[in-house]
Amino acid sequence: KIYYDSDADLSLLKDKTIVFLGFGNQGAAQAQNLRDSGIPNEKIIVANRDDHYAADAKSKGFNVEHDYSKAAEVADVVFLLIPDQVQPRVFNEHFSSRLKDSATIVVASGYNVFYELLQFKPSQDVVMVAPRMIGSSVRSLYVKGKGFPCFVSVEQNGTGNGMPITLALSRAIGATKTGAIASSVREETAMDLFAEQALWPNIIMLFREAYSVLKEAGCSDEALVYEMWMSKEPAEIFEAAAEEGFIQQLKHHSSVSQFGQLSGALKLDGSNIRAHFKEILYNQVLNGKFQKEFSKIEEDLEKEGDANPLNQLYTKSEESELGQGEKRVRARLGLS
Ligand code: NDP
């Protein structure tokens, strides 16, 4: 089901105090959109520590509350727009016990609700309004009078009024202009984490191995880097896929290319990769195995140098022929 502006009643937000926890990518965009949709500034509070995000919110005219507890006590609606790995710590400590029994809690990603990491009262509404766009696009499309793709769902309908409120909030941030798609935290989490842990790792692996095989056959780093991604050809292909269709965009390519791509893909046996994909989806994502492993390292992501597991993964990935080759080419071109 797809919901449009005509399905949403903004007057349901009248008199509600709306708290944005976080003023980063999504927080800054959604708070500004909501205010520009006619929600009075005095009914909007940005809850943020006293630093540059808070200063940004103040410079844009928002009321900023540094004390999370005070913001929690007055909130009728709270948008959780701080990084996913931080949300349980901040929400459970400062918001859970203080929020009103009838509060609406809005997440922009399914992760913490699907893995049951946040503590809610049964009387509260827990809803998802998850833009499929980075924050700057959420804002710029709204300013241009356009919508953006967004997933919506009601995960806990404590007040019995969860969906009308979700649609009103979605409309206020500009998400029902081109249609908000009914989804669930399970679907959003499954698709997001599957793409991150199955689809894209395989794409990275394919590029890495392709680079190595072609290098071995005598192709230069310069030619390979440009041919494979720096020319932006892959970006243009995906752009055309979004505009004209995943298969139909192939018609822009030469006959040699079309024949090679279509017949080559049909000849490949997908059964091995299918088994691998299912393993990741069911035994890593949906069963919570990844979430448990990630929770053990998430605090280390704030550390510097090798103590940060992400830095170690970057170092290891850059040791590949692709990583080394690209470094040489970028250095020669004076690019960082
Ligand atoms: P950001 O990384 O931009 O969040 C920054 C905000 O979080 C700032 O207000 C920052 O304030 C606050 N913050 C960061 N660390 C902490 C901390 N330890 N304690 C308290 N506050 C903290 O987040 P995003 O906007 O990227 O993501 C927010 C939500 O939106 C997530 O659920 C994400 O999955 C979802 N989402 C994000 C998209 C994107 O484009 N990035 C797309 C769609 C959904 P300060 O550090 O000053 O306290």
Side-chain angles (χ1 to χ4, degrees), residues 168-332:
L169 292 167
S170 303
R171 180 172 174 182
I173 67 159
T176 45
K177 198 153 206 98
T178 47
I181 300 157
S183 181
S184 66
V185 292
R186 181 184 186 275
E187 180 177 67
E188 201 271 343
T189 306
M191 291 194 307
D192 231 29
L193 269 54
F194 178 84
E196 291 158 7
Q197 294 172 37
L199 188 58
W200 286 102
N202 274 283
I203 291 172
I204 293 171
M205 181 273 290
L206 288 174
F207 270 65
R208 189 184 66 213
E209 296 307 314
Y211 194 100
S212 184
V213 166
L214 288 164
K215 185 85 200 280
E216 205 176 84
C219 299
S220 72
D221 287 323
E222 285 80 356
L224 282 170
V225 168
Y226 271 105
E227 173 69 16
M228 291 177 71
W229 65 90
M230 223 162 141
S231 61
K232 301 196 179 169
E233 194 187 7
E236 281 165 9
I237 289 173
F238 275 97
E239 181 92 39
E243 297 293 333
E244 297 166 39
F246 197 78
I247 307 288
Q248 289 302 312
Q249 60 78 22
L250 280 163
K251 291 188 173 154
H252 291 291
H253 301 233
S254 70
S255 303
V256 172
S257 170
Q258 290 178 50
F259 186 77
Q261 293 194 54
L262 289 167
S263 63
L266 287 169
K267 265 188 245 154
L268 289 174
D269 174 11
S271 51
N272 284 345
I273 198 79
R274 223 181 132 78
H276 165 67
F277 278 175
K278 282 185 160 183
E279 173 68 21
I280 293 187
L281 180 61
Y282 293 105
N283 297 332
Q284 188 166 300
V285 171
L286 290 176
N287 70 353
K289 184 167 171 254
F290 168 82
Q291 184 275 317
K292 285 193 188 75
E293 283 169 10
F294 184 71
S295 70
K296 289 185 201 144
I297 61 113
E298 66 192 14
E299 290 196 19
D300 293 338
L301 299 179
E302 284 161 32
K303 294 185 177 157
E304 300 291 325
D306 274 355
N308 183 327
L310 258 185
N311 290 345
Q312 291 176 26
L313 291 171
Y314 272 111
T315 306
K316 211 155 184 232
S317 301
E318 278 165 353
E319 280 166 7
S320 64
E321 277 185 288
L322 180 152
Q324 293 299 309
E326 180 181 50
K327 209 179 250 179
R328 281 193 292 274
V329 173
R330 292 184 71 88
R332 219 167 294 150

Side-chain angles (χ1 to χ4, degrees), residues 22-23 25-26 48-49 51 53 68 83-84 86-87 109 131 134:
F23 200 74
N25 291 311
Q26 289 294 327
N48 210 99
R49 297 182 293 198
D51 69 2
Y53 286 104
Y68 293 141
D84 291 323
V86 178
Q87 285 178 19
S109 123
I134 57 171

